[in-house]
Amino acid sequence: MNDKLGNTEICCEDGHIVKRTSGQANACCGSETLDTRWQSCCAGRVVDSPGLGCCGTVFYSKHNATCCKGVLKEGLGSVLAQCCGTEAFDSHLFMCCKGKLWLRQEGLECCGKDWYNPSTHLCLVEELQPRQSASHVLCGRDQYHPAHNSCCNGVIQGKKEPCLSPTSSSQMCGTVRYSSSELVCCSGRLLPRQKGWTCCGDALFNPRTHECFGEIREKGKQRTLRPCGRNSFFDPTFERCCVNGSSLGQRYGPGHTCCKGTLHQTSGTGLYGGQCCDGKGFNPETHFCCNGEVNDQSEWQRIGDNDFLEYSLDRICCAGRRFPAWGGERDCHGGLPFNQHNQTVCGSTVHNVTRGTCCGDSLYDPSTQVCCSGHSQIRPPWAWVECCGTQLYNTSDPLQLCCGSRLHHLPHHDHGNHRCCGDAIINILTHDCCSTPSQQVAHPKEPHMACCGHRPYNSTQEHCCAGTLYPAGPTHLPHIECPVIHVKDLYLQTPCNHGGVLVGRVETVLQNENYTVYTLRKYLQWKRPSGLWKSSETQEPWVKFRLHNCSCPVLTPLQDYAIWLPKSPQGSSLPPVPELISPLHVTTDMSYVLRLLIACQQEKGNPHL
């Protein structure tokens, strides 16, 4: 792969080259790319939320739902569930026999849709036979004793008789011999032969009236074809394209998967449902990949999202890597097996300590130590201790300011006039900071200078809309200041003068010509009706607000935000929000917000408490 391809493009599994949509993109999603650490893909669509599953064209959380043959089942997470047809089940309690669920009992196995005891019966293509003895095995449809006879091409013969080649019409379908003049074998299923008909998966169809694209479809429907390699075409509405190293393409539909330019049959998969294992395709609902080999899930117990324990308890597979389980390892963490009764996994290290607390690859004591970016340090005697990169600092010290992962020491005489701009500090009396979630740019304060995303511009010569600059001209933009503000910079925005604060997660987004309306699921709402901040308990857990498309940034769905509300007139259902703090992760920054509110209540100008 040349430098240009490695830096700006990605070679996808089907042989297509796709331009990277970001520098960190590491996988393909249809005609787009994504960063799998922060994003998920489903049917060619990308969302900014990692680890989501894809069921047909629907994203879902693997923690509380399972996708079985394109049907989404709520209530049982796919981390521990397996599929039986379109039903999800717990493999600890049930076993699946050809789409039918049975209560699991030790020693029983499946024969077609029924269960049986292999010590008393034999299974012949979904039919049960009483076992003549514990030593008898099948030869075709009949039983024989290996000590007395042998099996040749499905026929029982004498122990010492030679095994001759089968007749031209005698073939095998799975473990059963059949006559090809009377029957046809479709994906391991025997069907009566019909003149002119051929296989489509495990079914027969008439190619004069129908077509096979993983499923049988009636001919004559209008299709929009796209090139597939240099020799073929495919219909993207229900087909995909597999291109090999010679740029030769092959179209395929559900039930097949393209891996490294080679097409593999993966029965039961949707159009985007198959996965690859070291160049081999498989159905992730029934199999999994471990050490480059495809394994049948029916022989393993699912113990995590991509973790499996063999029912014999001899081996364990963690994040695609197989390990022996001789030491009682029954769980995986970080791709490593461990015994939760006497071990703890920290990063890439297993410690022989029960339920220890990790800091990087090491253990630490949270009562006496603080962990900063994988480095443990002795806990200092400060009331408010936080990490700045790998350093500890006292948040009550007004002379210290953490920007990104860099700790700055401010001058005594004007420490209150400094703020962060990226990982640097600026003096707000002389400089401004223009920022987007990925970039921050400092610039000197000058008349008519404003920010358009992370770019400063002269407002007398240009105007900004949705992060794009246009030549100056008559505009009808509302006069709204709508910056993205980091939570640690809130003390510069005089929060005490606002009407309230709302903390929650963006759940829905509705965009129209001028405004985008957001629905926020509330975690916390504080108001100050009489000068005091009070927690507001309301029956409705949702709130809607709107932001102007030109003046305000785009909020990310499923991201947490804190919104400082203006003192708006009564009865205004969707007031423009003048200030946003983004991103605000409640679990780590809520304490800082609460300290600001306490400072306002106590009428203190300095939030460092």
Side-chain angles (χ1 to χ4, degrees):
M1 184 177 288
N2 57 41
D3 291 340
K4 180 180 179 181
L5 181 60
N7 293 332
T8 63
E9 298 171 315
I10 292 180
C11 182
C12 303
E13 64 172 25
D14 58 6
H16 282 81
I17 295 175
V18 179
K19 186 176 181 180
R20 293 182 192 267
T21 50
S22 71
Q24 299 299 317
N26 57 12
C28 297
C29 183
S31 60
E32 300 183 53
T33 60
L34 73 153
D35 186 337
T36 54
R37 297 174 302 171
W38 323 114
Q39 297 174 307
S40 298
C41 169
C42 183
R45 294 185 298 118
V46 176
V47 296
D48 294 326
S49 184
L52 294 181
C54 178
C55 191
T57 59
V58 179
F59 289 100
Y60 70 97
S61 170
K62 297 180 181 179
H63 297 290
N64 54 24
T66 301
C67 181
C68 296
K69 293 187 179 297
V71 178
L72 192 60
K73 295 293 182 179
E74 304 283 349
L76 189 62
S78 58
V79 173
L80 296 177
Q82 294 185 18
C83 290
C84 184
T86 58
E87 296 296 326
F89 73 100
D90 188 336
S91 58
H92 292 94
L93 305 176
F94 298 90
M95 64 180 184
C96 178
C97 298
K98 286 284 186 177
K100 188 173 181 179
L101 286 174
W102 297 95
L103 192 65
R104 182 173 291 281
Q105 301 180 52
E106 188 174 356
L108 300 185
E109 296 180 5
C110 291
C111 181
K113 293 185 177 181
D114 297 315
W115 56 265
Y116 77 106
N117 188 338
S119 64
T120 60
H121 289 74
L122 292 172
C123 179
L124 171 65
V125 194
E126 305 184 9
E127 295 180 5
L128 288 174
Q129 289 186 9
R131 198 162 199 161
Q132 296 178 17
S133 76
S135 300
H136 273 73
V137 293
L138 286 171
C139 179
R141 303 185 64 88
D142 300 313
Q143 300 184 40
Y144 75 102
H145 198 298
H148 306 137
N149 299 94
S150 64
C151 180
C152 179
N153 300 323
V155 179
I156 299 174
Q157 60 182 28
K159 180 74 173 176
K160 296 183 179 180
E161 289 184 47
C163 186
L164 303 178
S165 300
T167 61
S168 59
S169 64
S170 176
Q171 299 182 19
M172 298 293 292
C173 184
T175 59
V176 178
R177 183 160 296 280
Y178 72 101
S179 173
S180 59
S181 62
E182 300 176 358
L183 302 171
V184 62
C185 180
C186 295
S187 298
R189 183 185 179 192
L190 282 175
L191 299 169
R193 180 174 293 279
Q194 299 184 55
K195 186 176 180 180
W197 289 50
T198 188
C199 290
C200 180
D202 61 357
L204 285 172
F205 79 104
N206 187 342
R208 293 192 300 272
T209 59
H210 290 75
E211 295 176 303
C212 176
F213 297 103
E215 59 183 5
I216 300 172
R217 295 177 180 268
E218 187 178 351
K219 276 189 173 181
K221 294 184 178 180
Q222 185 176 1
R223 297 185 295 166
T224 302
L225 299 181
R226 293 182 181 176
C228 179
R230 56 185 175 88
N231 64 314
S232 183
F233 294 86
F234 76 108
D235 187 338
T237 57
F238 56 86
E239 293 177 311
R240 297 186 71 184
C241 173
C242 186
V243 180
N244 63 22
S246 301
S247 298
L248 297 178
Q250 188 176 3
R251 66 183 189 182
Y252 67 98
H256 293 81
T257 302
C258 179
C259 299
K260 296 182 178 179
T262 302
L263 202 58
H264 300 264
Q265 182 175 334
T266 51
S267 299
T269 58
L271 187 59
Y272 292 88
Q275 294 183 9
C276 296
C277 179
D278 194 22
K280 300 179 287 290
F282 69 98
N283 184 345
E285 294 182 3
T286 59
H287 294 74
F288 69 96
C289 180
C290 193
N291 273 32
E293 298 177 359
V294 178
N295 298 267
D296 193 332
Q297 290 188 20
S298 64
E299 301 172 2
W300 297 68
Q301 171 187 344
R302 184 190 289 270
I303 58 174
D305 187 20
N306 193 28
D307 306 321
F308 296 84
L309 176 66
E310 199 171 25
Y311 278 121
S312 64
L313 305 182
D314 292 329
R315 297 180 298 174
I316 188 171
C317 184
C318 298
R321 296 171 59 202
R322 188 168 59 235
F323 303 87
W326 302 328
E329 294 86 353
R330 301 291 181 266
D331 296 277
C332 298
H333 181 82
L336 293 176
F338 75 106
N339 186 335
Q340 63 175 341
H341 298 294
N342 55 29
Q343 292 180 321
T344 300
V345 180
C346 295
S348 58
T349 305
V350 179
H351 300 273
N352 294 322
V353 175
T354 304
R355 294 188 179 89
T357 305
C358 296
C359 182
D361 288 343
S362 305
L363 295 171
Y364 85 109
D365 183 355
S367 64
T368 60
Q369 296 175 303
V370 178
C371 179
C372 293
S373 300
H375 298 270
S376 59
Q377 304 175 53
I378 301 299
R379 180 179 291 276
W382 307 325
W384 298 98
V385 180
E386 290 191 15
C387 295
C388 187
T390 59
Q391 294 181 278
L392 287 174
Y393 78 106
N394 184 358
T395 59
S396 64
D397 185 352
L399 300 181
Q400 291 185 324
L401 181 61
C402 180
C403 299
S405 58
R406 291 179 59 188
L407 184 61
H408 298 270
H409 298 277
L410 306 179
H412 288 266
H413 60 282
D414 65 345
H415 59 83
N417 294 325
H418 289 78
R419 62 157 289 188
C420 295
C421 187
D423 60 358
I425 58 172
I426 61 171
N427 189 320
I428 61 173
L429 300 179
T430 60
H431 286 74
D432 278 325
C433 182
C434 295
S435 66
T436 60
S438 59
Q439 287 183 281
Q440 298 81 34
V441 176
H443 64 94
K445 277 193 172 181
E446 296 178 7
H448 309 297
M449 292 301 292
C451 292
C452 186
H454 63 271
R455 292 175 295 179
Y457 73 101
N458 190 326
S459 59
T460 63
Q461 300 174 359
E462 299 174 295
H463 77 267
C464 175
C465 181
T468 303
L469 289 173
Y470 299 92
T475 61
H476 305 283
L477 302 182
H479 185 69
I480 301 175
E481 291 295 329
C482 205
V484 178
I485 305 170
H486 192 276
V487 65
K488 294 300 179 62
D489 289 337
L490 279 177
Y491 69 96
L492 296 171
Q493 305 303 321
T494 60
C496 302
N497 295 328
H498 288 80
V501 63
L502 184 65
V503 180
R505 173 166 293 185
V506 172
E507 296 284 350
T508 64
V509 179
L510 179 62
Q511 193 169 27
N512 56 37
E513 184 177 356
N514 294 317
Y515 288 91
T516 299
V517 180
Y518 297 91
T519 302
L520 198 77
R521 184 179 182 88
K522 292 189 289 187
Y523 296 150
L524 174 73
Q525 182 175 355
W526 280 41
K527 295 181 179 179
R528 54 190 302 268
S530 59
L532 297 178
W533 292 94
K534 294 182 179 180
S535 179
S536 173
E537 297 293 336
T538 60
Q539 294 182 351
E540 185 62 49
W542 311 89
V543 65
K544 288 187 177 181
F545 60 91
R546 70 180 186 182
L547 300 179
H548 196 276
N549 293 336
C550 276
S551 304
C552 300
V554 177
L555 303 190
T556 304
L558 304 182
Q559 173 66 61
D560 296 333
Y561 291 90
I563 299 169
W564 294 93
L565 302 173
K567 297 176 181 178
S568 57
Q570 293 293 328
S572 178
S573 58
L574 295 176
V577 181
E579 292 177 349
L580 304 174
I581 304 94
S582 168
L584 172 60
H585 301 286
V586 175
T587 54
T588 56
D589 292 304
M590 180 61 77
S591 62
Y592 196 90
V593 174
L594 293 178
R595 278 185 283 155
L596 285 172
L597 302 178
I598 294 172
C600 291
Q601 184 166 329
Q602 297 175 349
E603 297 183 353
K604 292 186 177 181
N606 183 4
H608 299 285
L609 300 178

